[in-house]
Amino acid sequence: MIEWFSTLDSTMLEARRDPQLGRVIVADEQTAGMGRMGRVWHSPPGEGLYVSIVMHPSPLLTLALGLAVRSVIGEPADLRWPNDVLLGERKVAGILAQTEGEVVIAGIGINVAQSSFPDGLDTPATSLSLEGIPTTREEVLTALVPAVERFCVLPSEEIRRQFEQASSYAIGRRVRAGDREGVTCGLDSQGFLRLREDNGSETMILAGGVRPI
Ligand code: BTN
């Protein structure tokens, strides 16, 4: 059942207040939208899809969520480990998965109809509308919920394989991750990103994210 609110502080916080498995919480607007690493997710009314889904924990869940979002947006969408969804070099969707007791709250923000974004974003942003993909939040949500169900039950090896195929960042891309620099060389079995540094050593990127150089 989908619960659609006109305004919330954050769909993540609403899910935390009553973390019943299967809740799908949507808001037209969030007054305290949360991004990864303590960032703000700018959530103006009616322009983005802001949704949280209360789910069973499963392996490689955030990667599976990225694949689900990409399947809704379409093939041109790129995935930047661990879970940014990009069109070109611009971010069109973000994913935030938080554990709450026995469940995981999967938060997904998709820029649908924005025509501009605030200055100073960590990654330049775009929206489906700016990219000439006409759709509505309702249509996106209708496709997204079954896609999440489909991708999150895949075996982790399959999630890893599909992510490596879908993401231009997964293999052979020169990136910076924190204070490390190198070329990506795929994901390990737990979904961590492998980075070959210039001195030949291999490092596993466990958290945070990567930026192109
Ligand atoms: C990120 O890329 O930093 C993650 C962004 C996640 C945003 C979504 S919008 C719906 C849900 N509610 C929130 O407050 N955040 C997530």
Side-chain angles (χ1 to χ4, degrees):
M1 223 252 314
I2 293 170
E3 303 167 53
W4 198 302
F5 294 80
S6 55
T7 187
L8 279 176
D9 43 6
S10 159
T11 57
M12 302 303 284
L13 296 174
E14 173 55 29
R16 261 193 232 163
R17 288 190 278 268
D18 182 13
Q20 297 284 331
L21 206 55
R23 282 187 86 193
V24 178
I25 300 156
V26 183
D28 285 327
E29 167 191 38
Q30 300 184 115
T31 55
M34 299 157 58
R36 290 178 66 236
M37 333 246 304
R39 297 193 188 107
V40 169
W41 188 259
H42 186 62
S43 310
E47 297 190 358
L49 176 65
Y50 318 119
V51 57
S52 292
I53 306 175
V54 183
M55 307 181 61
H56 279 298
S58 62
L60 276 51
L61 177 65
T62 58
L63 304 184
L65 291 168
L67 287 167
V69 172
R70 178 174 180 269
S71 78
V72 170
I73 292 176
E75 288 278 304
D78 195 4
L79 297 172
R80 184 171 66 192
W81 187 92
N83 46 22
D84 288 336
V85 185
L86 308 175
L87 284 167
E89 296 300 318
R90 293 178 175 269
K91 181 156 162 172
V92 69
I95 291 158
L96 175 69
Q98 296 181 329
T99 301
E100 178 69 28
E102 314 246 291
V103 299
V104 173
I105 302 171
I108 301 172
I110 303 182
N111 301 331
V112 177
Q114 286 90 336
S115 53
S116 64
F117 292 91
D119 292 333
L121 293 180
D122 180 57
T123 298
T126 190
S127 66
L128 296 177
S129 141
L130 283 171
E131 298 296 325
I133 305 173
T135 186
T136 61
R137 295 173 299 146
E138 290 79 0
E139 270 177 4
V140 174
L141 181 68
T142 302
L144 181 64
V145 172
V148 167
E149 285 166 358
R150 226 173 35 248
F151 281 95
C152 291
V153 297
L154 289 176
S156 47
E157 186 49 34
E158 182 60 17
I159 295 171
R160 194 178 71 82
R161 192 189 65 75
Q162 291 198 25
F163 191 95
E164 283 187 348
Q165 240 173 30
S167 167
S168 78
Y169 281 82
I171 300 175
R173 183 82 179 248
R174 190 159 186 88
V175 297
R176 173 170 298 122
D179 56 1
R180 294 176 186 278
E181 240 181 76
V183 175
T184 58
C185 41
L187 307 182
D188 79 351
S189 59
Q190 290 175 278
F192 298 132
L193 184 65
R194 297 159 55 209
L195 186 73
R196 182 160 310 113
E197 296 186 64
D198 294 339
N199 64 9
S201 68
E202 199 175 285
T203 309
M204 223 61 93
I205 310 299
L206 306 181
V210 296
R211 293 290 175 270
I213 316 180

